[in-house]
Every structure is written in C-alpha cells, then in structure tokens.
Amino acid sequence: MKNKALYTGSFDPLTNGHMDIITRAARLYDELVIGVVVNPSKRSMFSLEEREEMIRKATECLPNVTVDHFSGLLADYVNAGGFDSVIRGLRATTDFEYEIQMAQMNARLYQGHVETVFLMTNPNYSFLSSSMIKEVHSLGGSIDGLVPEIILEYMDEKNKA
Ligand code: ADP
C-alpha cells in the first residue's frame, strides 16, 4: 500500500522553510499533497490560484508532489482523501503550544489511523515566516536565498504593480 501525506498551510508565499519541509517529506512518503488552506477572512498577498501555481512551479522537480486546496475542517479533507499522515513544520517552542492542541483535537476527528508528523525546522530557516518575507520585501530588503527563485519573481512582479 502507498503512503500518502498531506502538508497544509497558507503559503502566502511559499518560503525556503516550507520547501525544506516539502523536500524532506517527499522522501518519506510515496505521495505528498500540498494543501493550500482557503481562508476568505484572511487577507492574502497572493490569490489562491496564484499560490497554487507558484507552489506547482517551485515543486516541479519533485515528481511525487501534487498541489490542491481545501476549505472547512481539515479532518474532513483528510478523511475524504485517505491520508496516512499530516505533516507540520515546527520552528520555535511558540509553534509547539498551538500545534499540540491542534494535533490532539484533530486526532479525535480523524477516521482510521492518521498520524500528525512533525518535522523540525532546518536551522537555516528557523526564523523564517511568510509574513516576515512579505514585510522585508515590501520595504526593499533582500530575501535572496530565503524563497525559491520563482517565488521571488512573483513577489517582484506583485510589488511593482
Ligand atoms: P499557517 O497559515 O498554517 O501558519 P504557514 O504557511 O505559515 O501556514 O505554515 C504552514 C506549515 O509550515 C506550518 O506547519 C508551519 O509550522 C510550517 N512552517 C512555516 N515556516 C516554516 C519554517 N521556516 N521552517 C519549518 N516549518 C515552517
């Protein structure tokens, strides 16, 4: 049987911190789906379509990775999709508090055996968040090496507009 994992987030935009988790998770599972969370109440820099397109391009070199989106309850999407694991990235201890609550609540909602699997952040990217990337870039600071090249192109384009 194939092992199928889900990695979710807003990815507004995708950073090298996310890419590191994706690359490592893609090695651990036969199939990895990147699930972009649809949250209309959250103002985002990039539309859902743009974010999906950007992630598709950035993960082109990983053949077992696909991109999708979902709204509503994560557990509903997980149960319907037949996932074995849900991947989360852990940065500082501040992530831990929130993540353990979510993982324990979700464990009650998953049908069958679904594990939440935590991958520790790569120390090169432990400080990195999408919001910090957006802020530094909008103020003209360099984010070279912190996002995939293709993401930088999209961001330059967006900030020009
Ligand atoms: P959310 O809106 O759920 O916070 P994000 O796009 O910020 O979505 O993050 C999605 C996932 O990626 C989360 O599990 C988060 O902890 C993880 N993540 C974000 N940045 C990093 C990073 N620099 N290193 C490792 N994991 C990260």
Side-chain angles (χ1 to χ4, degrees):
M1 205 176 78
K2 284 193 166 186
N3 269 327
K4 190 174 168 188
L6 173 69
Y7 177 48
T8 67
S10 307
F11 307 112
D12 186 43
L14 182 82
T15 70
N16 277 347
H18 296 131
M19 272 308 285
D20 178 72
I21 299 287
I22 292 170
T23 310
R24 286 156 63 199
R27 276 192 221 116
L28 296 173
Y29 292 89
D30 298 309
E31 254 183 83
L32 176 69
V33 177
I34 315 295
V36 183
V37 181
V38 182
N39 186 352
S41 63
K42 211 167 162 181
R43 259 196 75 223
S44 58
M45 178 175 187
F46 293 98
S47 70
L48 174 66
E49 293 71 27
E50 286 172 324
R51 281 179 279 156
E52 284 194 78
E53 184 180 292
M54 290 155 81
I55 301 169
R56 264 191 205 105
K57 287 186 181 170
T59 57
E60 241 165 23
C61 52
L62 300 168
N64 58 338
V65 172
T66 54
V67 184
D68 193 14
H69 62 265
F70 71 97
S71 56
L73 200 61
L74 168 73
D76 288 342
Y77 182 74
V78 169
N79 292 336
F83 290 96
D84 303 289
S85 302
V86 175
I87 308 291
R88 300 292 295 170
L90 265 193
R91 280 163 296 189
T93 48
T94 42
D95 273 348
F96 182 80
E97 286 286 324
Y98 171 75
E99 292 292 343
I100 192 168
Q101 278 188 321
M102 282 296 293
Q104 289 173 344
M105 175 54 88
N106 282 332
R108 295 172 55 93
L109 301 170
Y110 293 147
Q111 286 157 4
H113 192 80
V114 182
E115 268 316 326
T116 304
V117 173
F118 295 99
L119 297 183
M120 293 299 161
T121 182
N122 178 325
N124 293 334
Y125 307 123
S126 58
F127 60 94
L128 210 54
S129 66
S130 297
S131 47
M132 186 177 290
I133 285 293
K134 282 182 281 197
E135 188 169 349
V136 171
H137 186 259
S138 70
L139 296 171
S142 169
I143 52 166
D144 250 13
L146 300 180
V147 295
E149 197 58 46
I150 185 80
I151 305 292
L152 190 55
E153 287 171 23
Y154 273 81
M155 293 194 72
D156 285 342
E157 201 55 44
K158 185 71 86 179
N159 274 353
K160 248 193 271 162

